[in-house]
Amino acid sequence: MKLLTKISLNFLSISLFIFLTGLVVFYFVLRQQVNQNINVELQKRQTSIQNELKSAHSAATAPTDFDKKVEITPIPANRFPTEGYSDTLIVDNKTGTYTAYRQLQFVSEINGQKFLVKIFKSHAETDNLIVRIILLMTFLVVALILGLLVLNRHISQKTLKSFYDTINKIKKYDLNTHEDFQLKETDVKEFNDLNKVLTSMTERIKDDYLNLKEYTENASHELQTPIAVIISKMELLLQSDCMQEKELKTISDAYEASTKLSRLTNTLLLLSKIGNRQFPEVKKIDLTQIINTQLSFLEDVIVSKKISVDSPDKEYFVEMNPYLADILISNLLKNAIRHNLKSGTISISTNEKQLTIANSGEKIQGTADDIFKRFYKSSSSDSSVGLGLAIVQKICEVSGFKALYSYENNRHNFSIIFTPDTNNFKA
């Protein structure tokens, strides 16, 4: 959920709670005030009725007047009814419906005769008035809440604009560029403090990254020279005629280990460069052409293992770095050849969303996730350093692709899933 949406929902929830609570309280306060006003009016009528009763000649002539909502009833001298205000319901003889009334009941004595007098005042008019007031207040409060919600959202958007600018700059910032990480100064102290912390942290990260990058490059460069010297000396010793078989075996093993160390150093350096996104150039390239080129490079190995290859002949364009594309295809094809059967098959297919390279072979140990881990080796081959598929995974990661593996029908299937914005299939 976005920050603005959360702020708006919280504001709306609190406003509705306050409004509903206030509406209930307002209704009861208004009802109490209306009842007090009716009580005053009934009290005035009480005084008037008492004066009329005192001026009457006899109690027997006192009528019960329902039109004026006054009820006068003689009562025994020993009866003492309750006096005061109350609410009651009176049935309408014409419609048969009940109507709410406010009632004042009191006792009046004339010439020794007690009368119970009840005065009624209808709630109909006041109830209609209360309903109109409540509806009007509801409309005004809802309009006020909506207006405040829009205003609050507008103010929040304006206030948080610098925050979102900071987020966008962080997303787009690339350590490989030489541009300084600069954030706009705002009139909000907290955002300025956040920007200062982010700027300081980014500078430290950039310094650490550049130092690590320089160290990796220097270490790789410095290692290559002594390794090359060792390999060349080993080659000279292997060509010597005065070496015994046991010594030649020892030198041969050391030569193979040195060669593997050289490949491992170059591969680790390549992984570091890919992870550091040192191949920013992106072009529209034809993967079919790269596949055919790599297959021609590996033709001798393919022929020696009697592997039949089914490759596509249609153009297949993808947006990615050309150098990484060569490495991606090369590693996938070498893996398909290395782990293939004698007289096996390699099938290369493409569609609008993916490239798939499948090869025959026995099932390997481990899960699909293990396949792409560094130094994971599915065979005991000494020629593999266990980083080929890790490089494939890293290339897919920095290029916005997805690498998948599955084993079905005695075939290893490696698929590269291209996103819609990076793949432009052309038949």
Side-chain angles (χ1 to χ4, degrees), residues 251-418:
I251 295 173
S252 177
D253 292 342
Y255 174 77
E256 291 180 2
S258 300
T259 305
K260 185 175 181 180
L261 178 60
S262 178
R263 294 200 309 271
L264 180 61
T265 304
N266 290 330
T267 305
L268 287 174
L269 177 62
L270 177 62
L271 264 175
S272 177
K273 287 183 176 180
I274 295 173
N276 293 334
R277 301 180 184 271
Q278 294 181 231
F279 303 96
E281 182 187 9
V282 174
K283 290 184 178 179
K284 187 176 180 180
I285 57 175
D286 183 8
L287 281 187
T288 301
Q289 182 180 355
I290 295 177
I291 290 171
N292 294 330
T293 301
Q294 292 296 330
L295 286 175
S296 65
F297 292 157
L298 301 169
E299 184 176 1
D300 293 340
V301 185
I302 294 173
V303 172
S304 66
K305 293 190 71 171
K306 298 180 181 180
I307 298 174
S308 62
V309 180
D310 181 16
S311 59
D313 54 1
K314 296 180 180 179
E315 294 177 323
Y316 190 83
F317 291 99
V318 172
E319 296 279 346
M320 68 178 300
N321 181 270
Y323 179 69
L324 295 182
D326 282 333
I327 297 175
L328 176 71
I329 299 301
S330 175
N331 284 1
L332 287 174
L333 290 177
K334 287 178 181 178
N335 181 77
I337 295 171
R338 182 179 297 114
H339 301 289
N340 213 322
L341 301 173
K342 190 78 173 181
S343 301
T345 61
I346 295 178
S347 175
I348 306 172
S349 60
T350 58
N351 59 35
E352 189 174 354
K353 295 182 179 179
Q354 68 183 42
L355 162 72
T356 301
I357 297 179
N359 64 277
S360 56
E362 297 179 357
K363 187 175 182 179
I364 60 177
Q365 299 296 326
T367 63
D369 294 333
D370 294 333
I371 296 295
F372 297 102
K373 290 181 178 178
R374 293 189 182 188
F375 302 109
Y376 177 81
K377 297 173 67 174
S378 57
S379 68
S380 58
S381 175
D382 293 333
S383 60
S384 173
V385 294
L387 290 173
L389 293 178
I391 291 177
V392 169
Q393 176 80 331
K394 184 60 69 173
I395 291 175
C396 290
E397 181 183 322
V398 300
S399 302
F401 307 153
K402 188 175 182 180
L404 299 177
Y405 166 78
S406 64
Y407 184 79
E408 297 176 356
N409 301 324
N410 298 323
R411 293 176 68 83
H412 301 279
N413 303 293
F414 288 89
S415 299
I416 309 299
I417 310 299
F418 303 104

Side-chain angles (χ1 to χ4, degrees), residues 18-41:
I18 294 175
F19 166 67
L20 293 176
T21 305
L23 189 63
V24 174
V25 173
F26 177 75
Y27 171 78
F28 284 105
V29 171
L30 185 60
R31 168 59 67 185
Q32 184 180 10
Q33 187 63 41
V34 168
N35 286 341
Q36 288 180 356
N37 292 337
I38 294 177
N39 291 345
V40 172
E41 185 177 343

Side-chain angles (χ1 to χ4, degrees), residues 42-106:
L42 291 175
Q43 192 174 14
K44 292 179 179 179
R45 292 181 62 189
Q46 175 187 1
T47 303
S48 176
I49 291 173
Q50 284 178 333
N51 292 334
E52 291 179 4
L53 288 174
K54 288 179 181 180
S55 63
H57 294 287
S58 65
T61 60
T64 298
D65 190 348
F66 286 99
D67 292 334
K68 294 183 178 180
K69 302 306 177 189
V70 177
E71 183 179 336
I72 304 173
T73 308
I75 58 176
N78 60 352
R79 183 180 172 188
F80 302 97
T82 304
E83 298 182 317
Y85 301 94
S86 62
D87 292 320
T88 186
L89 295 175
I90 297 178
V91 65
D92 191 335
N93 295 327
K94 295 180 181 179
T95 61
T97 59
Y98 286 90
T99 305
Y101 280 84
R102 185 71 173 170
Q103 171 185 289
L104 171 59
Q105 179 174 289
F106 62 92

